[in-house]
Amino acid sequence: MKDYYKDKTVLVTGHTGFKGSWLAIWLLEMGAKVVGYALDPLHDMDNFIVTGLSNRMVDIRGDIRDAEKLKDVFSKYQPEIVFHLAAQPLVRLSYDIPVETYQVNVIGTINIMEAIRTTNSAKIAVLITTDKCYENKEQIWGYRENDAMGGHDPYSSSKGACEIAINSWRKSYFNVNEYEQHGKSIASARAGNVIGGGDWSVDRLIPDCIKSILQDLPIEIRNPQATRPWEHVLEPLSGYLLLAYKMSQDPVKYAEGWNFGPDYDAIITVKDLAEKIINYYGKGKLALGSEKAVLHEANLLALDVSKSRIKLGWTPTLSIEQAVELTVDWYKNYQNQEPYDICVEQINKFIETES
C-alpha cells in the first residue's frame, strides 16, 4: 500500500482539521504529493498548526460550498485520489446552525463529486461521513452498511443525506456497470467516535478532558452513560487508505459504503472513557450531571465492521487502553517534542501493531 501512494497526487479536503491533518501526515510519509483544501484551523494549537503541515504540502484555503474554486483546484493540481473529510462535524453546533450544517455537509459533498466528475485525473474517491448517518434505534447491536440512513439532529441527518447523495451520484454518474466509460470509483466511509492527539475542538470529550486537566478544573460530563464506539484516529485512517488502495485494484468491487469502527470492548460510556483519560494522565477529576438542559444526543451507538473485516481484510488493531494511551501521550509530550515527529512515531507504532 505504501508503494501505491508514492508520488500520487492526493487531494485531502479538511486537511486543517483533526482527522485530515493526521491523514495528510500519513500520506506524506508514504511519499504522496498532498494537496489540501480547507478553511483555516480553528485553534492555534491544532495538530495542523503545531506540526507545520502548511510547509510540507500544498495548503489551500477554501470553502467546499465554493463549487467554482473547487473545480479550479481540481483543474490545476489534477488529483488522482480524493479523500473528502471537510465538514461541519459537531452535533450540538448543528442545532444552532442547521442550514449551514446542511449546506456544508450535503452541498459541499455534492460539489466534491461534481469536481470529480468533471476532472479526468480523479479516479478514486473516499467520501467520509459518520457512524451517526444511520437511523439510530438505540439498538444493542451494531449498524451494518445496508441499514437505513437517518439521524435525529441536523448534523446526523445531514450525514445521512450525504450518504443518499453519494449513492445517487454513484448510480447516476459513476455507475459500476459503466466503469469503462467514466473510469471513476466512489466509496463512502463511516467511522466511530475518533480520539487522538492534536484535537482541540470545542464540545468534544477528549479536548474537554485535556483542557480541564491542564487548567486544574473538574471535567464536566453532560451525558455520562452515553455509549460510543471509541477508536484512535489511526484506526479509521488505515481503513480509508486501505479502501482507496483496494479500489485501485478493483474499482467496481469496492465502490460501496464501509464501516470502520472499533472492537466491541472499545464501545464504552463517556464516563468510562473520561476516567481512563484521567488514569493515564495521572491527574484530573470528574463533575457529573452539571448541565441541566441537554439537547438530544444518542445514548447507544455501535458499528458492525464485519463487511470491512471480510471483504477488505481490515480489522481494528488497538484496544481502548492502547488508544487512550497514545492519545494522552501526544498531549503530554507535544510541548517538549516536535509534534510532527510524535505523529510519525505513533503512525509507525500503529503499523507495527497492525503487522
Side-chain angles (χ1 to χ4, degrees):
M1 188 173 73
K2 181 177 180 179
D3 291 339
Y4 167 67
Y5 286 101
K6 184 175 174 58
D7 296 326
K8 293 284 196 310
T9 300
V10 183
L11 176 67
V12 178
T13 71
H15 69 291
T16 60
F18 168 50
K19 286 172 70 177
S21 64
W22 276 92
L23 178 58
I25 292 170
W26 201 337
L27 286 165
L28 287 168
E29 289 301 302
M30 290 192 290
K33 302 171 184 175
V34 185
V35 178
Y37 183 95
L39 299 175
D40 289 333
L42 296 176
H43 196 286
D44 60 7
M45 290 193 298
D46 280 347
N47 196 47
F48 174 82
I49 295 291
V50 298
T51 55
L53 266 178
S54 61
N55 299 319
R56 301 173 184 266
M57 59 184 288
V58 178
D59 175 24
I60 301 168
R61 293 289 178 272
D63 193 315
I64 55 173
R65 291 172 292 182
D66 189 339
E68 291 307 311
K69 184 169 184 177
L70 265 177
K71 288 182 179 179
D72 288 344
V73 169
F74 272 75
S75 177
K76 179 176 180 179
Y77 292 99
Q78 295 291 299
E80 302 161 71
I81 306 161
V82 178
F83 290 100
H84 171 46
L85 289 83
Q88 192 299 92
L90 300 175
V91 170
R92 285 160 61 85
L93 181 60
S94 75
Y95 282 102
D96 296 329
I97 54 168
V99 175
E100 182 177 339
T101 297
Y102 261 76
Q103 288 172 338
V104 172
N105 293 349
V106 182
I107 300 304
T109 297
I110 290 172
N111 288 341
I112 294 292
M113 291 191 290
E114 284 295 276
I116 292 168
R117 187 162 73 92
T118 56
T119 305
N120 290 334
S121 67
K123 303 298 183 185
I124 294 169
V126 178
L127 310 173
I128 314 306
T129 60
T130 176
D131 56 350
K132 298 174 183 65
C133 67
Y134 294 106
E135 181 63 41
N136 194 336
K137 301 175 182 178
E138 302 283 348
Q139 62 190 32
I140 60 173
W141 51 88
Y143 292 95
R144 294 177 176 175
E145 286 84 349
N146 58 356
D147 281 332
M149 297 294 113
H152 181 285
D153 56 87
Y155 167 72
S156 301
S157 60
S158 75
K159 287 297 190 173
C162 280
E163 288 284 356
I164 293 171
I166 292 165
N167 196 41
S168 172
W169 258 250
R170 186 161 44 221
K171 289 178 177 178
S172 301
Y173 305 110
F174 312 123
N175 196 297
V176 294
N177 297 320
E178 300 166 359
Y179 177 76
E180 295 301 324
Q181 285 75 49
H182 58 73
K184 299 177 188 297
S185 183
I186 308 296
S188 62
R190 306 139 192 183
N193 282 48
V194 176
I195 65 175
D199 184 9
W200 297 98
S201 302
V202 297
D203 218 16
R204 279 206 189 122
L205 180 61
I206 300 302
D208 286 350
C209 288
I210 298 299
K211 291 172 189 174
S212 295
I213 288 171
L214 293 176
Q215 298 175 52
D216 292 320
L217 296 173
I219 300 169
E220 297 186 359
I221 304 295
R222 63 174 180 268
N223 199 1
Q225 297 308 315
T227 300
R228 296 287 184 271
W230 309 100
E231 58 186 330
H232 190 270
V233 62
L234 296 177
E235 296 275 32
L237 295 187
S238 70
Y240 307 162
L241 291 166
L242 177 62
L243 174 57
Y245 168 69
K246 290 281 190 178
M247 291 163 72
S248 74
Q249 304 300 299
D250 192 334
V252 171
K253 181 178 179 180
Y254 298 103
E256 300 176 343
W258 301 87
N259 286 345
F260 298 104
D263 279 326
Y264 281 104
D265 65 356
I267 303 172
I268 62 175
T269 67
V270 170
K271 178 176 178 287
D272 287 342
L273 182 64
E275 288 175 341
K276 290 181 185 297
I277 295 293
I278 291 171
N279 179 57
Y280 275 97
Y281 207 101
K283 60 182 295 189
K285 59 182 178 179
L286 295 182
L288 304 181
S290 59
E291 190 171 292
K292 295 181 181 179
V294 179
L295 296 169
H296 177 275
E297 293 184 86
N299 286 309
L300 187 61
L301 182 61
L303 290 175
D304 185 325
V305 298
S306 301
K307 178 183 172 183
S308 293
R309 286 179 185 269
I310 295 167
K311 293 189 174 183
L312 286 178
W314 177 87
T315 184
T317 60
L318 299 177
S319 68
I320 186 62
E321 301 294 338
Q322 290 171 312
V324 171
E325 184 176 9
L326 283 176
T327 299
V328 172
D329 281 350
W330 192 100
Y331 287 107
K332 291 182 78 170
N333 295 312
Y334 83 98
Q335 290 180 311
N336 302 316
Q337 292 179 242
E338 184 62 47
Y340 187 92
D341 293 340
I342 297 175
C343 292
V344 173
E345 288 172 10
Q346 293 197 352
I347 289 169
N348 290 333
K349 183 182 294 186
F350 176 81
I351 293 170
E352 289 173 6
T353 305
E354 270 190 317
S355 60

